[in-house]
């Protein structure tokens, strides 16, 4: 019997081609989910003016809109907490389960908002239910970016970590553009009354249905070899796992890896403020401050985003050959030198805005092509997801979340130059961070 058991055939090992195909499917699954996370985040802002009165007291339309936007802000504030919680979960239980849970909450939140009762039906409960849905989505959104970047970098083929990490930003832009497209389609196909009555629910329902499919894809993800190797090593060296590194308090782990935390914060500060200034707010600024036509400004912005989408993976490939620091230097020096000239280029015409945005986004791409890889490479495996997600979400909330409002307030008071100077200062912080950070291109990921 023993000899018969010993001669049983073993399961065939997947070929190199099958492994590459599976790796590519996982890349698509993670980024498809990340796209829908950003779709849901953006679609709320697009349709807030339409459904505001349905979840709050419609007696005062302005108050209802502000209340709806306040709920959006609460979701934004919960992102750092979500980054920490989901990062801790990913470091302890695995990247796959954390990403799957984040997608489940996102899908559930979107579907719930799509069918949620209105203020006229259930009164104050409608406002509270919307608040809970946004809190849940905010937590999931906070955990999504850091964990997805960690997964992509760990799952990347040898010598392609910057390229694979950079694809997460492509999915961010794709989600924003998808939401914009759906918003335009709904508004073009329905009257304002129809959009306010039920059209906005279609947009949320579409996001929820697509998120359910993304959840199906994520459930089929393979866990990263780096995590499994480290988890297996800890199981052998810490049989009860009470003293395993991943079981230690998160504060102690982050304090021990303080340099990585500061690097993520420093790089995220420059990335966040330039992202929200040049990718999100620039078309609005051209309209408000320079009198540009809305259609012209949006068209220029969308075309400039195409430039950004092409530049990110191209520079990611370059970074996998020459290293991370040259591109980080290019970003910091570029914005210190060009922030004021780029701002002066915006004169209210299509070509001036397209040129300014395209050049700004090319400089931004130098950072966005490598920041995901650097974030993951500066942390050991047992702290990587939390180490990336927590400071990333925190920096985004501080520097990115406040950028449009600070820009609007200073511009409205004739002090726009102060905001541009502020951007230069933050770019200098990122440049100093790049100088202080080690070159991580050849760092091993499977370290504890």
């Amino acid at each position: 019997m023993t000899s018969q058991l010993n001669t049983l055939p073993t399961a065939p090992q997947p070929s190199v081609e099958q492994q590459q195909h599976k790796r590519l499917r996982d890349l698509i699954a993670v980024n498809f989910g990340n796209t829908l996370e950003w779709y849901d985040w953006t679609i709320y802002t697009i349709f807030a003016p339409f459904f505001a009165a349905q979840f709050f007291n419609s007696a005062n339309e302005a108050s209802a809109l502000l209340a709806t936007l306040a709920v959006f802000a609460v979701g934004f504030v919960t992102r750092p907490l979500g980054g920490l919680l989901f990062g801790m979960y990913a470091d302890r239980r695995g990247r796959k389960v954390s990403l799957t849970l984040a997608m489940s909450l996102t899908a559930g939140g979107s579907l719930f908002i799509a069918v949620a009762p209105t203020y006229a039906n259930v009164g104050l409960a409608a406002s509270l239910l919307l608040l809970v849905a946004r809190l849940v989505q905010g937590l999931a959104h906070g955990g999504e970016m850091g964990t997805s970047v960690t997964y992509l970098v760990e799952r990347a083929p040898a010598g392609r970590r910057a390229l694979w990490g950079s694809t997460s930003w492509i999915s961010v832009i794709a989600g924003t553009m998808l939401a914009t497209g759906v918003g335009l389609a709904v508004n073009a196909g329905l009257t304002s009354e129809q959009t306010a009555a039920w059209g906005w629910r279609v947009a949320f329902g579409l996001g929820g249905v697509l998120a359910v499919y993304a959840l199906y894809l994520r459930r089929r993800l393979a866990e990263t070899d780096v995590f499994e190797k480290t988890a297996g090593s800890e199981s052998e060296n810490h049989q009860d796992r009470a003293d395993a590194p991943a079981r230690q308090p998160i504060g102690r782990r982050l304090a021990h890896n303080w340099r990585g935390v500061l690097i993520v914060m420093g790089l995220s500060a420059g990335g966040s403020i330039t992202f929200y200034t040049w990718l999100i707010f620039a078309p609005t600024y051209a309209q408000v401050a320079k009198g540009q036509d809305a259609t012209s400004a949006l068209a220029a912005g969308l075309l400039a985003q195409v430039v950004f989408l092409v530049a990110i993976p191209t520079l990611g490939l370059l970074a996998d050959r020459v290293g991370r620091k040259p591109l980080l230097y290019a970003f910091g020096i570029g914005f210190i030198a060009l922030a004021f000239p780029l701002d002066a280029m915006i004169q209210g015409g299509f070509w001036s805005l397209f040129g300014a945005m395209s050049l700004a986004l090319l400089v931004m791409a130098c950072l966005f092509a490598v920041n995901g890889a650097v974030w993951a490479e500066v942390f050991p495996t047992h702290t990587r997801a939390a180490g990336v997600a927590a400071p990333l979400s925190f920096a985004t909330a501080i520097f990115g979340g406040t950028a449009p409002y600070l820009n609007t307030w200073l511009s409205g008071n004739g002090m726009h130059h102060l905001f541009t100077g502020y951007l230069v200062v933050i770019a200098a912080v990122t440049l100093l961070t790049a100088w202080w950070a080690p070159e991580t291109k050849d760092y091993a990921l499977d370290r504890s």
Side-chain angles (χ1 to χ4, degrees):
M1 177 64 71
T2 302
S3 61
Q4 289 179 345
L5 289 175
N6 290 337
T7 58
L8 288 175
T10 58
Q13 295 297 313
S15 65
V16 174
E17 291 77 10
Q18 289 173 325
Q19 292 178 14
Q20 292 175 342
H21 179 69
K22 172 59 177 170
R23 198 186 299 267
L24 182 60
R25 283 176 53 187
D26 290 344
L27 171 75
I28 294 171
V30 170
N31 280 317
F32 183 57
N34 200 28
T35 295
L36 293 175
E37 289 271 2
W38 280 90
Y39 169 89
D40 289 326
W41 198 252
T42 306
I43 209 71
Y44 185 97
T45 307
I46 292 174
F47 286 101
F50 292 98
F51 66 77
Q54 298 200 30
F55 287 96
F56 297 91
N57 191 342
S58 59
N60 187 321
E61 292 184 4
S63 178
L65 177 57
L66 287 174
T68 307
L69 294 177
V71 171
F72 175 80
V74 167
F76 203 98
V77 170
T78 58
R79 285 172 61 176
L81 178 60
L84 181 63
L85 294 177
F86 278 86
M88 291 169 57
Y89 189 61
D91 285 330
R92 179 171 296 186
R93 299 298 183 187
R95 288 50 168 133
K96 173 185 175 179
V97 293
S98 180
L99 288 170
T100 302
L101 178 60
M103 198 74 257
S104 300
L105 295 178
T106 298
S110 291
L111 290 173
F112 180 81
I113 293 175
V115 300
T118 65
Y119 189 91
N121 298 132
V122 296
L124 183 61
S127 307
L128 295 175
L129 290 171
L130 179 64
L131 175 62
V132 170
R134 288 304 294 175
L135 285 172
V136 170
Q137 286 192 321
L139 289 171
H141 195 77
E144 169 71 21
M145 191 65 191
T147 307
S148 63
V149 166
T150 298
Y151 181 90
L152 289 169
V153 174
E154 289 184 348
R155 194 80 172 93
R160 289 291 181 265
R161 296 198 305 233
L163 173 62
W164 275 51
S166 72
T167 61
S168 62
W169 294 110
I170 297 176
S171 64
V172 169
I173 306 303
T176 303
M177 294 177 71
L178 177 62
T180 303
V182 170
L184 289 172
V186 170
N187 281 285
L190 302 174
T191 65
S192 296
E193 292 75 15
Q194 290 173 325
T195 301
W198 54 269
W200 61 269
R201 295 185 183 272
V202 175
F204 279 100
L206 175 63
V209 171
L210 291 175
V212 170
Y213 178 64
L215 175 61
Y216 164 74
L217 294 178
R218 284 197 170 180
R219 288 177 61 87
R220 303 175 66 189
L221 289 174
E223 185 55 82
T224 68
D225 293 339
V226 172
F227 176 81
E228 289 189 331
K229 178 180 178 180
T230 303
S233 175
E234 288 188 0
S235 296
E236 294 176 2
N237 298 329
H238 307 269
Q239 291 184 2
D240 59 359
R241 295 186 61 83
D243 62 337
R247 290 278 187 175
Q248 295 175 2
I250 185 61
R252 182 187 302 174
R253 284 187 280 141
L254 293 179
H256 183 72
N257 293 279
W258 61 269
R259 184 170 183 171
V261 171
L262 292 180
I263 289 172
V264 174
M265 286 283 293
L267 298 185
S268 300
S272 296
I273 190 172
T274 54
F275 180 91
Y276 283 95
T277 299
W278 279 104
L279 192 77
I280 304 298
F281 189 70
T284 302
Y285 173 74
Q287 296 171 61
V288 174
K290 304 297 181 179
Q292 186 168 345
D293 174 73
T295 301
S296 170
L298 291 173
L302 284 174
L303 285 177
Q305 288 183 26
V306 174
V307 174
F308 191 48
L309 287 175
V310 174
I312 289 176
T314 303
L315 292 173
L317 275 170
L318 178 64
D320 281 324
R321 298 191 63 179
V322 304
R324 295 28 172 152
K325 290 172 76 76
L327 276 81
L328 296 176
Y329 289 150
F331 168 85
I333 295 171
F335 266 107
I336 290 173
L338 297 175
F340 281 97
L342 286 171
D343 191 70
M345 283 179 63
I346 303 177
Q347 295 296 325
F350 172 87
W351 290 110
S352 66
L353 179 60
F354 173 71
M357 285 190 67
S358 295
L359 184 54
L361 295 182
L362 281 173
V363 178
M364 278 176 55
C366 294
L367 172 64
F368 283 70
V370 300
N371 56 8
V374 176
W375 294 338
E377 290 163 348
V378 295
F379 286 103
T381 306
H382 60 74
T383 308
R384 183 168 294 130
V388 173
L392 167 61
S393 299
F394 188 66
T396 301
I398 293 176
F399 299 101
T402 60
Y405 305 98
L406 184 61
N407 196 348
T408 301
W409 185 81
L410 289 173
S411 299
N413 288 276
M415 297 182 291
H416 177 71
H417 62 284
L418 291 181
F419 180 82
T420 307
Y422 170 60
L423 192 153
V424 170
V425 171
I426 301 303
V429 170
T430 299
L431 178 61
L432 288 174
T433 303
W435 171 78
W436 180 63
E439 174 56 70
T440 58
K441 172 177 172 289
D442 298 319
Y443 272 28
L445 290 180
D446 56 345
R447 62 187 192 277
S448 58

